[in-house]
Amino acid sequence: MSLAQIRYFVAVAEEGHVGRAAERLHVAQPPVSRQIRALEDELGTPLFARTPRGMTLLPSGEAFLDHARGILAAVERAGDAARGAARERPPLTPAPRSSAAG
Amino acid sequence: MSLAQIRYFVAVAEEGHVGRAAERLHVAQPPVSRQIRALEDELGTPLFARTPRGMTLLPSGEAFLDHARGILAAVERAGDAARGAARERPPLTPAPRSSAAG
DNA sequence: GCGTCCAATACCGTTTCGATCTCGCGCCCC
DNA sequence: GGGGCGCGAGATCGAAACGGTATTGGACGC
């Protein structure tokens, strides 16, 4: 499982179409289709029902969707936290020459 | 940022050594060193201080560590949730011939 | 100064990923 | 009932990413 797969899954779940999700993600349709399949394969259970009109979330997909959104949000927060901490308490001023206590 | 990078980061943070983290992760040392660097590069801030005895977490690294652990745990839960939902409410019994209303 | 331990770099083979092209399937329209 | 069109899925190929081995550079102890 990769973050890309999770992003693909969320996009497909929200759009209901692989093609439209691919458009939103700025990638082609086959990679999205393949990653969704790979995700289902890894989880051992299908997440979508393939209908002639697109993709419909199964119960397993709905359960996964909540967590998936949380994961993506957590990734965002993690980056922000690291950057924020670095701003508040910078590691060590390189101070090549003029030492300035601060 | 990838889940592998997050896993590598947590291992290095907990071990304090790139080499030991690599051992725990069953990979060689250079890939771990590289991914940590790539992660720092993507975040725009260093996460570790390189010392002659190993790697020490910087404030930014400590902030990131909490979130990183949460992300990995959330990934585990996501998979469990999908599998659990599939067990409780299976999508649709194929029922090729004998129709059996539940 | 040399040996040791650490992370970082160079280089290479393999794997993975995405893009293009094509196909099969089911519905709508006529 | 046949043709056209939407959809997802499969095959194939080139590019990027990943990991492994070999090697380098820096700091500490003797």
Side-chain angles (χ1 to χ4, degrees):
Chain A
M1 181 170 358
S2 70
L3 289 178
Q5 283 175 344
I6 296 175
R7 278 187 244 268
Y8 286 14
F9 166 80
V10 172
V12 173
E14 291 182 354
E15 297 289 345
H17 291 256
V18 172
R20 205 177 284 271
E23 207 171 316
R24 189 215 277 193
L25 295 162
H26 302 294
V27 294
Q29 171 256 319
V32 177
S33 183
R34 214 183 318 162
Q35 294 288 6
I36 295 295
R37 257 197 182 276
L39 181 59
E40 292 178 325
D41 194 55
E42 182 177 339
L43 293 176
T45 180
L47 300 171
F48 292 100
R50 274 75 172 174
T51 78
R53 313 293 290 167
M55 311 273 278
T56 305
L57 271 178
L58 294 174
S60 54
E62 293 185 24
F64 190 79
L65 181 57
D66 283 339
H67 294 266
R69 288 202 179 105
I71 290 167
L72 297 182
V75 169
E76 297 284 327
R77 281 196 300 270
D80 291 345
R83 281 183 287 265
R87 288 195 176 286
E88 282 186 29
R89 302 159 62 189
L92 253 186
T93 313
R97 254 125 255 185
S98 51
S99 77
Chain B
M1 181 168 359
S2 69
L3 289 178
Q5 282 175 345
I6 296 175
R7 278 187 244 270
Y8 286 13
F9 166 80
V10 172
V12 172
E14 290 181 354
E15 296 288 345
H17 291 257
V18 171
R20 205 176 285 273
E23 206 171 316
R24 189 214 277 195
L25 295 162
H26 303 293
V27 294
Q29 170 254 321
V32 178
S33 182
R34 235 177 312 171
Q35 295 288 3
I36 295 295
R37 256 197 182 276
L39 180 59
E40 291 177 325
D41 194 54
E42 183 177 338
L43 292 176
T45 180
L47 299 171
F48 291 99
R50 273 76 172 173
T51 78
R53 312 294 289 167
M55 311 271 280
T56 304
L57 271 178
L58 295 174
S60 55
E62 293 186 26
F64 190 77
L65 181 55
D66 282 340
H67 294 266
R69 288 202 179 105
I71 290 167
L72 296 183
V75 168
E76 296 284 326
R77 282 196 299 268
D80 291 345
R83 280 183 288 264
R87 287 195 177 284
E88 282 188 31
R89 301 159 63 188
L92 251 186
T93 313
R97 253 130 253 183
S98 46
S99 74

